[in-house]
Amino acid sequence: MVNYSISKIKFSDGQEIPIFGLGTWKSKPGEVTQAVKDAIDLGYRHIDCAYFYGNEKEVGEAIHAKIAEGIVKREDLFLTSKLWNTFHRPDLVEGALKETLKNLGVDYLNLYLIHWPVGYKEDGELMPYNEAGKIQFSNVDYVDTWKAMELLVQKNLTKSIGLSNFNKRQIERILQIATIKPVNNQIECHPYLNQKRLIDFCKSKGITVTAYSPLGSPDRPWAKPEDPTLMEDPKLKELASRYKKTPAQVLLRYQIQRNLITIPKSVTKSRIEENFNIFDFELTDFDMEYIDTFDCNGRFCPNTFALGHPHHPFENDDY
Ligand SMILES: NC(=O)C1=CN([C@@H]2O[C@H](COP(=O)(O)OP(=O)(O)OC[C@H]3O[C@@H](n4cnc5c(N)ncnc54)[C@H](OP(=O)(O)O)[C@@H]3O)[C@@H](O)[C@H]2O)C=CC1
Ligand SMILES: CC(C)=CCC/C(C)=C/CC/C(C)=C/C=O
């Protein structure tokens, strides 16, 4: 059996990323410091952050506590963050990253992503609604944002740069102008949205993929009671009981066996441990193919806030 526990995936620029990390979206500032400390104690070395999550300072506190205790060194950790939609204008990009570095209390990131291809009006509000309750868009093209991202690598503020929520056509546009190619595309990915075509495309271009919301994001703010709950899927539960594992563990193992990086979020110590405990079993090829059949275009994070944006990644029939 392949041992994935210490697995890393190599980017096209040579940097390596641990295949498994901790998500931090929706982790409250009052909870995230302990969660990151617990995760580092348990062996996590990759933390997925974003300016938009509003908790980078508290993530940084945990990192510094563990460095001060001698549990890890900065170079043992892989830190990702993301450029929010209101900072796409090229002259705002470096300042946005520096604000993230200040919050995290580090002097470089391992990976900085454009969070979404959609730019929003740069007026200070992260969600700049107008009086009619609609988000105000900016007309910045993400290819211009990318050129500003490249400068961050040259200035050693981040080791690698990449994308998040970009579709095939949008990635192709980036590749046409890139001097530094994106090393990663972070996208929603789980059995209800297995993203096979987009993953195959990214792989063909040497772009690694990170699977976000791998457990189906049950704590997403827009969840409705009638929405399906991935971890409660009867077929998944039956499969998990056969392996004597939990549905969450099967969902995470599924991604690791596809050689995808994955970043489940939890602020609960027992779950942070449970989610990491997936390196002692292997799903058969037959079961991997069975899980593939769950695909139903079931997107939990459609970003309806940005509907109508000319660069919305999910609004046309591209993938
Ligand atoms: N680039 C992007 O646009 C996006 C990136 N992401 C990234 O991906 C990460 C993960 O995705 P996210 O949407 O948060 O959702 P996940 O699919 O990771 O689900 C998180 C939820 O599952 C619960 N949970 C975690 N482990 C278990 C378990 N073993 N058993 C039962 N419940 C469990 C958590 O509860 P609790 O915390 O209470 O334990 C939380 O409610 C984000 O946190 C973020 O870092 C996510 C969305 C968009
Ligand atoms: C409705 C509320 C309370 C928040 C909206 C959050 C939002 C705009 C999410 C969309 C982007 C997203 C899924 C980011 C995760 O990284």
Side-chain angles (χ1 to χ4, degrees):
M1 190 172 80
V2 185
N3 178 2
Y4 294 90
S5 63
I6 48 160
S7 263
K8 292 184 176 181
I9 291 188
K10 197 173 235 183
F11 289 153
S12 57
D13 63 9
Q15 193 183 190
E16 293 188 331
I17 181 170
I19 196 164
F20 193 82
L22 182 75
T24 61
W25 175 40
K26 307 170 264 69
S27 300
K28 296 189 184 71
E31 301 171 327
V32 77
T33 306
Q34 191 56 48
V36 173
K37 284 183 184 173
D38 290 339
I40 291 174
D41 284 341
L42 287 159
Y44 287 63
R45 294 293 178 263
H46 165 186
I47 315 291
D48 184 75
C49 314
Y51 182 79
F52 180 70
Y53 301 163
N55 57 13
E56 290 192 316
K57 189 168 162 292
E58 292 77 10
V59 171
E61 283 166 14
I63 289 167
H64 287 287
K66 289 295 151 191
I67 292 175
E69 275 180 49
I71 307 292
V72 283
K73 299 196 276 295
R74 167 66 186 92
E75 55 269 32
D76 300 327
L77 295 173
F78 191 102
L79 302 179
T80 301
S81 187
K82 315 186 190 88
L83 177 79
W84 184 242
N85 306 348
T86 49
F87 303 107
H88 277 204
R89 220 176 59 205
D91 61 298
L92 298 177
V93 171
E94 183 175 330
L97 173 58
K98 284 186 166 164
E99 189 66 21
T100 275
L101 292 176
K102 190 172 92 190
N103 285 338
L104 289 171
V106 294
D107 53 15
Y108 70 92
L109 287 179
N110 296 84
L111 177 62
Y112 198 45
L113 307 174
I114 302 183
H115 204 149
W116 289 86
V118 294
Y120 293 171
K121 189 172 173 227
E122 310 82 0
D123 73 350
E125 295 291 324
L126 297 185
M127 296 286 277
Y129 289 107
N130 64 15
E131 282 166 9
K134 286 213 54 164
I135 298 253
Q136 302 172 85
F137 303 145
S138 80
N139 56 9
V140 179
D141 187 331
Y142 52 79
V143 297
D144 297 322
T145 309
W146 186 257
K147 296 312 283 180
M149 295 282 284
E150 291 179 337
L151 298 176
L152 306 176
V153 179
Q154 287 160 15
K155 293 187 175 179
N156 295 319
L157 296 169
T158 182
K159 287 186 187 284
S160 300
I161 49 175
L163 308 170
S164 175
N165 296 299
F166 276 58
N167 67 28
K168 173 179 181 271
R169 189 181 45 79
Q170 293 171 332
I171 296 168
E172 281 171 336
R173 286 193 69 222
I174 295 280
L175 291 175
Q176 276 163 13
I177 56 92
T179 306
I180 301 178
K181 290 195 191 331
V183 298
N184 180 257
N185 191 24
Q186 184 179 121
I187 54 175
E188 179 177 343
C189 184
H190 45 71
Y192 288 171
L193 184 74
N194 74 33
Q195 299 270 24
K196 184 173 179 342
R197 285 187 304 169
L198 183 53
I199 291 167
D200 285 348
F201 170 74
C202 287
K203 285 190 175 163
S204 77
K205 299 293 178 191
I207 299 171
T208 62
V209 171
T210 300
Y212 78 61
S213 303
L215 307 176
S217 200
D219 57 346
R220 66 198 182 280
W222 47 86
K224 297 198 189 73
E226 65 271 22
D227 288 348
T229 304
L230 178 60
M231 280 185 280
E232 286 169 17
D233 185 304
K235 291 185 290 187
L236 177 70
K237 284 169 84 172
E238 184 277 325
L239 197 63
S241 68
R242 266 202 280 128
Y243 283 91
K244 298 193 170 38
K245 287 284 176 181
T246 64
Q249 288 170 324
V250 169
L251 290 169
L252 299 171
R253 182 74 201 186
Y254 170 69
Q255 302 296 8
I256 301 294
Q257 282 187 220
R258 301 172 83 201
N259 217 25
L260 299 182
I261 302 147
T262 195
I263 47 172
K265 172 261 178 185
S266 179
V267 291
T268 312
K269 187 174 182 184
S270 58
R271 290 173 170 173
I272 294 170
E273 182 165 18
E274 173 187 325
N275 295 346
F276 201 58
N277 184 13
I278 54 169
F279 302 107
D280 58 353
F281 78 113
E282 188 164 6
L283 297 165
T284 63
D285 291 349
F286 184 85
D287 286 335
M288 288 293 291
E289 283 168 29
Y290 176 55
I291 300 173
D292 285 341
T293 68
F294 298 3
D295 189 53
C296 56
N297 197 27
R299 200 182 280 284
F300 292 114
C301 297
N303 201 352
T304 50
F305 306 94
L307 286 177
H309 196 294
H311 298 310
H312 197 294
F314 318 136
E315 264 200 297
N316 56 34
D317 57 6
D318 204 341
Y319 58 88

